[in-house]
Amino acid sequence: MQPVGRAPHVDYLGALPSTKATRPRIPSIVYFGTLIFSRVLFAQRDGSRLVRPEPITMAIKFKDLSPEEQQDYRDRMRHSAAHVLAEAVTKLFPESQLTIGPPIKDGFYYDFAVPEPFTPDDLKKIELEMRESIRANTEFVERKVSRDEALELVKDNPYKIEILEGIPADEQVTFCSHANGTFEDLCRGGHMERTGDIKAYKLLSAAGAYWRGDEKNAMLQRIYGTAWESRDAQKEYLKLREEAEKRDHRKLGRALGLYFFDPIAPASPFFLPKGTVVLNQMIDYVKELYVKYGYDEVMTPQIFNTELWKRSGHYDNYRESMYFIDVDDREFGVKPMNCPAAAMVYLAESHSYRDLPMRLADFGRLHRNERSGVTQGLFRVRSMVQDDAHIFCTFDQIGTEIDSFLQMLSESSQVFGFDNYRFELSLRPEKRVGTDEMWDRAEAVLTEVMDGTGREYTVASGEGAFYGPKIDQFVPDALGREWQLGTVQLDFSLPERFDLEYTAEDGTRQRPVVIHRAMYGSLERFLGVLVEHLSGAFPLWLAPVQAVVVPIADRHNDFCHEVGTGLKEAGLRVEVNDSNDRMNAKIRQAQLQKVPYMLVVGDREVDAGSVAVRTRAGKDLGAKPVGDVVDMLLKQVADRS
RNA sequence: GCCAACGUAGCUCAGUGGUAGAGCAGCUGUUUCGUAAACAGCAGGUCGACAGUUCAAUCCUGUCCGUUGGCUCCA
């Protein structure tokens, strides 16, 4: 393979116009694919005179880079950009101390210990300084030194010392320098050859970040940037980000009249009639699945005596994020989770193995006093509803229950058009309840079930809940940030704390296992992700308004209202736009509201008893008898297509 | 909770140390129109809240509240 980022091998396809031709300039673009022919301009010298550049055709051979090689290339470039950033910051802010600067998805960051946080103006200055360094096109030079020698070199930087102290004394470490050796930084290694190999870069933002990701540590100042192999690639990336910002569910929620927020109830959405339609459709759909998969639904209180939360362990673990109310000298807690209530329901009757598995769904509203900095639109709220259910079963039933849930989850994800999700299997954390034997068995079952689905998943060791291992489904939002939606979690703790039992076949008393599970997770979060996926263009079955009837002139209004009434009686959500706007404006309004169908009525339609059907995609389906339109829409709703 | 930025009409946003403007939306009227914006008029704001500086604060300073981007957390 030709090293990417260097002049590729060139085969000329014909005689050169001059034997004195200088080496042709290769466009400073790195191609990740194969480029065979290219027209290239190059200048030639005739004696001392520069002759007009002439196009020639030549073959340039690039080998395709595998995705891994592309990633490696970009990572090295972005890490190199982080070095250049560090150099610029060191120059402009001599008091700053360097820490780490890794490549990340689509870019890089560097964490600095500085006396004052960076301002947006600082970022501009730093960016200009970086440009100089890249223009100078100096070489990245790595050198290996012993760890102890390195400790001496960074003796004024406590952060680098801490890094080195984590490295065995007999190991060598890498220092990388550029700018002709005037700047040097301890790092993991992996760079471009020269600073000029960074073809496009941009600093995006600055934010505080704890040293080593621990809030007990000092807060450093992190600068985020992006870097690309070509200006075009960067432009495309920035364009995509801009487009993604337009799909922001908070903006769309406002624009489409779905929901809003108000400081009177921070981080707690108000759902308008249209947003409520969508949520209710979602709930109806889950209830259909519940019938199919054998769930029962229960309804439980909102507020419980604190005793319950002490018993469940929430009081000890999550008191800080719970809401409490004092009434008549007694303390009550607003529920942050449904599980203790589910345990109460289980305890209300005695159970035998014949009752198991018992699957109890609960759409109770939960309140969690999330820390102020973590809330975000519908993605992280303080008031929410989950499609929550608890399955009480025997240990031997865990496998089939998880398997059946994953099947239901896959069915649901498909209906909503989510295909870009991933699963994560979280295994035992250090702090946990239950015996090692229980964890061994449970983790083995989860692994076996996950393997059986044939889906890719990652394993997160140590990330399980203290009460049991879990499988989470993550789905990205418009900006690519991942959010947990579906989840299935085993719980060994709840049955113990509530002393849950069932009578086994042999008459002995046994402990059931509890499985917590949700497909949407929080309905609020799910709706947020869904809105961003669809840019607010809901499929017919979810659309708050499924069709708008558009009279062309007000002499068509009566007929339009008849059509509207007919569609409503058929169970469709319809509006008649009888305002005195022009038809074009009515169409535009419906279009902006992402209404799936517009039914236009003029003289011809009134005479024929039909409507002219226009889709949200701008397609004219022509005039159709009203009855046919009703059938068409009803079928589409029934199919959830 | 921590770091930073932001907060002006229902929405999107201008603006100034001398008490505020646009577009859209709303209301009223005119227009009756064939697939993405007809025209005119009217109305709408304790400039997030509270303190301070000042003859005078929407503007400067501080505190608080909220939002956004990160960090941390996420049962």
Side-chain angles (χ1 to χ4, degrees), chain A residues 53 71 76 106 178 182 188 239 270 391 397 416 424 482 501 523 572 602 609:
Chain A
Q71 197 51 52
R76 281 189 291 115
D106 300 330
H178 67 275
T182 58
R188 270 189 323 212
K239 177 94 188 144
F270 290 68
I391 301 171
Q397 290 168 335
F416 287 96
E424 195 170 280
E482 287 191 326
E501 288 184 333
L523 301 200
L572 292 162

Side-chain angles (χ1 to χ4, degrees), chain A residues 130-385:
Chain A
M130 287 174 71
R131 198 202 295 180
E132 296 307 311
S133 179
I134 286 169
R135 270 194 192 151
N137 198 22
T138 59
E139 208 173 342
F140 285 104
V141 183
E142 287 182 14
R143 64 168 173 142
K144 296 269 185 196
V145 302
S146 76
R147 195 205 67 160
D148 288 345
E149 212 177 318
L151 273 172
E152 180 57 26
L153 286 166
V154 302
K155 63 177 187 301
D156 298 325
N157 184 323
Y159 303 99
K160 295 287 189 189
I161 290 172
E162 199 179 317
I163 294 171
L164 287 171
E165 278 168 350
I167 294 172
D170 53 352
E171 261 183 43
Q172 291 214 313
V173 296
T174 310
F175 274 86
C176 175
S177 71
H178 67 275
N180 300 320
T182 58
F183 176 84
E184 189 170 53
D185 192 9
L186 168 70
C187 78
R188 270 189 323 212
H191 304 89
M192 306 307 288
E193 298 216 336
R194 316 187 69 89
T195 58
D197 294 332
I198 302 161
K199 294 299 178 193
Y201 73 98
K202 187 175 170 61
L203 297 186
L204 298 174
S205 61
Y210 299 108
W211 166 239
R212 300 221 145 163
D214 187 335
E215 66 181 336
K216 290 196 257 331
N217 289 341
M219 175 153 282
L220 308 172
Q221 293 301 319
R222 174 173 299 178
I223 295 180
Y224 282 98
T226 189
W228 295 86
E229 63 277 359
S230 70
R231 282 183 180 226
D232 283 348
Q234 175 162 296
K235 234 173 162 175
E236 194 181 334
Y237 166 71
L238 293 173
K239 177 94 188 144
L240 277 176
R241 267 172 65 110
E242 220 174 274
E243 291 297 316
E245 278 163 21
K246 286 185 195 151
R247 298 208 309 267
D248 188 319
H249 75 275
R250 289 164 303 204
K251 287 184 186 171
L252 287 170
R254 259 268 172 235
L256 302 178
L258 300 173
Y259 41 80
F260 67 95
F261 290 86
D262 189 282
I264 206 71
S268 305
F270 290 68
F271 288 97
L272 294 160
K274 286 180 180 172
T276 307
V277 166
V278 181
L279 287 176
N280 279 333
Q281 290 304 315
M282 283 165 53
I283 290 171
D284 287 352
Y285 172 61
V286 179
K287 288 185 178 176
E288 275 180 35
L289 289 177
Y290 282 170
V291 171
K292 182 171 166 186
Y293 284 86
Y295 285 68
D296 293 310
E297 190 187 338
V298 297
M299 293 174 105
T300 57
Q302 190 73 49
I303 297 167
F304 301 81
N305 191 303
T306 302
E307 263 176 57
L308 181 83
W309 306 114
K310 286 181 176 157
R311 189 165 177 190
S312 69
H314 289 95
Y315 195 84
D316 289 337
N317 286 303
Y318 301 108
R319 189 179 5 179
E320 295 302 310
S321 354
M322 282 180 64
Y323 294 98
F324 291 100
I325 308 167
D326 282 324
V327 182
D328 296 341
D329 295 328
R330 285 187 302 164
E331 189 182 43
F332 292 82
V334 182
K335 70 176 166 189
M337 280 200 86
N338 288 308
C339 28
M344 294 306 296
V345 172
Y346 184 89
L347 284 171
E349 295 170 316
S350 61
H351 297 286
S352 95
Y353 71 95
R354 293 172 192 275
D355 300 334
L356 306 184
M358 258 177 72
R359 308 185 190 93
L360 299 180
D362 190 340
F363 291 95
R365 177 164 292 276
L366 310 179
H367 289 84
R368 298 177 180 179
N369 186 18
E370 301 279 10
R371 292 212 276 178
S372 62
V374 307
T375 61
Q376 212 199 77
L378 287 182
F379 291 155
R380 193 84 179 268
V381 292
R382 294 210 175 103
S383 164
M384 63 168 159
V385 174

Side-chain angles (χ1 to χ4, degrees), chain A residues 22-55:
Chain A
T22 53
R23 206 179 136 89
R25 276 180 61 86
I26 304 303
S28 60
I29 296 169
V30 175
Y31 292 97
F32 280 161
T34 305
L35 178 72
I36 304 289
F37 298 103
S38 179
R39 284 170 70 79
V40 180
L41 285 170
F42 73 100
Q44 45 182 314
R45 236 169 232 295
D46 182 7
S48 60
R49 200 161 59 91
L50 198 62
V51 177
R52 184 174 65 85
E54 278 186 44

Side-chain angles (χ1 to χ4, degrees), chain A residues 321-557:
Chain A
S321 354
M322 282 180 64
Y323 294 98
F324 291 100
I325 308 167
D326 282 324
V327 182
D328 296 341
D329 295 328
R330 285 187 302 164
E331 189 182 43
F332 292 82
V334 182
K335 70 176 166 189
M337 280 200 86
N338 288 308
C339 28
M344 294 306 296
V345 172
Y346 184 89
L347 284 171
E349 295 170 316
S350 61
H351 297 286
S352 95
Y353 71 95
R354 293 172 192 275
D355 300 334
L356 306 184
M358 258 177 72
R359 308 185 190 93
L360 299 180
D362 190 340
F363 291 95
R365 177 164 292 276
L366 310 179
H367 289 84
R368 298 177 180 179
N369 186 18
E370 301 279 10
R371 292 212 276 178
S372 62
V374 307
T375 61
Q376 212 199 77
L378 287 182
F379 291 155
R380 193 84 179 268
V381 292
R382 294 210 175 103
S383 164
M384 63 168 159
V385 174
Q386 297 179 330
D387 61 324
D388 201 5
H390 296 88
I391 301 171
F392 300 81
C393 64
T394 69
F395 212 105
D396 292 336
Q397 290 168 335
I398 293 173
T400 50
E401 286 306 309
I402 304 265
D403 194 48
S404 146
F405 168 71
L406 289 177
Q407 200 183 316
M408 181 165 64
L409 178 61
S410 142
E411 195 176 326
S412 158
S413 299
Q414 198 179 344
V415 162
F416 287 96
F418 290 138
D419 47 11
N420 50 348
Y421 56 88
R422 72 180 176 89
F423 282 115
E424 195 170 280
L425 170 60
S426 297
L427 305 179
R428 70 190 81 185
E430 271 182 42
K431 210 182 115 191
R432 60 179 183 267
V433 301
T435 63
D436 283 352
E437 198 238 331
M438 282 169 108
W439 281 89
D440 286 343
R441 282 174 67 193
E443 288 173 359
V445 171
L446 291 190
T447 305
E448 194 184 315
V449 172
M450 266 322 299
D451 288 342
T453 64
R455 272 200 93 95
E456 294 275 310
Y457 67 96
T458 53
V459 175
S461 23
E463 293 298 311
F466 71 88
Y467 48 73
K470 58 174 182 170
I471 298 167
D472 293 319
Q473 178 201 35
F474 288 91
V475 183
D477 66 16
L479 284 170
R481 299 173 294 202
E482 287 191 326
W483 298 92
Q484 183 212 89
L485 300 185
T487 185
V488 54
Q489 318 182 345
L490 296 189
D491 192 335
F492 308 134
S493 169
L494 193 75
E496 293 287 334
R497 284 177 172 271
F498 283 86
D499 197 22
L500 306 183
E501 288 184 333
Y502 66 92
T503 309
E505 221 170 334
D506 61 3
T508 57
R509 310 286 281 167
Q510 301 285 335
R511 204 54 91 223
V513 171
V514 168
I515 302 173
H516 309 253
R517 37 98 304 149
M519 290 181 293
Y520 300 147
S522 137
L523 301 200
E524 287 77 3
R525 173 182 291 181
F526 188 91
L527 178 61
V529 174
L530 185 64
V531 164
E532 301 206 350
H533 266 252
L534 301 170
S535 295
F538 293 110
L540 192 68
W541 72 280
L542 283 170
V545 177
Q546 296 171 312
V548 173
V549 186
V550 177
I552 287 177
D554 53 15
R555 63 177 176 279
H556 309 124
N557 284 359

